[in-house]
Amino acid sequence: MPYNALGDLYKIEVVKRLQKMGCNVKSVHALNLILEEMGILIHSGDHWLTSKEGVKYTICNSQVFDADAWHHSIVDAVFEYLQNSERA
């Protein structure tokens, strides 16, 4: 179920869409690690901070810890990253 009426996604929905596209992303934690590699998230203690570059993929207007809603464009960005790194 989308996060809001605009169709923004929870991370688990991002994982499911990537799996349907043939990517080997097994969990939200695995997605977080990929997003960290991409520079979209920063691991800080027990939390994940959205980087300045990652804000454009969230519904937030600035950096935030543990963002829970992501635009559809994050799926394509992660898919492209995995394809280019030959990890899909």
Side-chain angles (χ1 to χ4, degrees), residues 8-73:
D8 293 313
L9 306 170
Y10 289 103
K11 282 186 183 173
I12 190 65
E13 293 169 317
V14 174
V15 170
K16 288 178 183 177
R17 288 182 185 214
L18 288 168
Q19 288 173 341
K20 285 182 183 178
M21 296 169 81
C23 296
N24 188 21
V25 180
K26 299 198 184 287
S27 66
V28 170
H29 180 69
L31 176 62
N32 286 342
L33 295 175
I34 293 167
L35 294 174
E36 183 180 30
E37 289 176 21
M38 294 174 65
I40 293 173
L41 290 180
I42 301 165
H43 194 221
S44 179
D46 290 338
H47 301 280
W48 293 93
L49 174 67
T50 307
S51 68
K52 290 180 182 176
E53 296 79 25
V55 170
K56 66 183 174 185
Y57 297 109
T58 71
I59 64 169
C60 305
N61 293 325
S62 63
Q63 289 180 286
V64 63
F65 281 102
D66 303 325
D68 56 354
W70 296 83
H71 297 308
H72 287 270
S73 57

